[in-house]
Amino acid sequence: MALMVVMPLLMLAKLYYPDYAKKNSNEDLKVQFQELLLDDSDSNATVRSVSVYENVISLEVNIHNVLLNDSNKSRFAQNSHRIFPEKICSSVGLREYLQSGKWISIDVIANSNKTVTNIRITRENCT
């Protein structure tokens, strides 16, 4: 009788646990990249999502409450292309990741929907 109750619970756990574990892993990565890329005092930007594929880590950084026009879009893009590669390359673990031929892609967006720029960081950026 107990087996009839436990078996369906085990089957459900087997189905849903991998999704739960992956979600928690992505949340941990978001927190780590938030700490690496953005200052704790900077509440105007957040790492919104992190995805890991075979050869790429893909990040989405959202800049909040910005009145985006052509001049400050250009300024945000220039600053992002200068600052983010420096911060990625300053991490020993990520530098090793890049040295193995993999790369990191950072999408910088404003107000959750306006694309500012995309930054592709490879080992060449860290030399």
Side-chain angles (χ1 to χ4, degrees), residues 93-111:
L94 290 175
R95 201 168 348 129
E96 289 174 3
Y97 177 84
L98 296 172
Q99 292 298 329
S100 68
K102 298 176 181 178
W103 51 284
I104 298 172
S105 174
I106 302 175
D107 288 324
V108 179
I109 57 174
N111 302 323

Side-chain angles (χ1 to χ4, degrees), residues 30 34 38-49 60-68 72 75-76 84 107-114 116:
K30 279 174 42 177
Q34 178 78 28
L38 306 166
D39 297 330
D40 291 334
S41 62
D42 189 5
S43 62
N44 290 331
T46 56
V47 175
R48 196 165 84 168
S49 69
E60 196 171 89
V61 175
N62 184 34
I63 303 168
H64 307 283
N65 302 323
V66 173
L67 204 60
L68 197 62
N72 63 347
R75 185 173 45 94
F76 280 123
F84 289 145
D107 288 324
V108 179
I109 57 174
N111 302 323
S112 299
N113 63 354
K114 296 176 183 159
V116 175

Side-chain angles (χ1 to χ4, degrees), residues 76-95:
F76 280 123
Q78 287 174 349
N79 288 342
S80 297
H81 281 272
R82 181 179 48 83
I83 294 170
F84 289 145
E86 287 176 7
K87 291 190 176 193
I88 292 292
C89 293
S90 71
S91 167
V92 174
L94 290 175
R95 201 168 348 129

Side-chain angles (χ1 to χ4, degrees), residues 33 50-59 85 88-89 93-107 118-126:
F33 277 104
V50 176
S51 302
V52 181
Y53 300 105
E54 291 179 15
N55 292 324
V56 64
I57 296 174
S58 180
L59 306 168
I88 292 292
C89 293
L94 290 175
R95 201 168 348 129
E96 289 174 3
Y97 177 84
L98 296 172
Q99 292 298 329
S100 68
K102 298 176 181 178
W103 51 284
I104 298 172
S105 174
I106 302 175
D107 288 324
N118 175 273
I119 306 160
R120 181 177 179 184
I121 304 168
T122 63
R123 73 175 139 217
E124 287 79 24
N125 297 103
C126 296

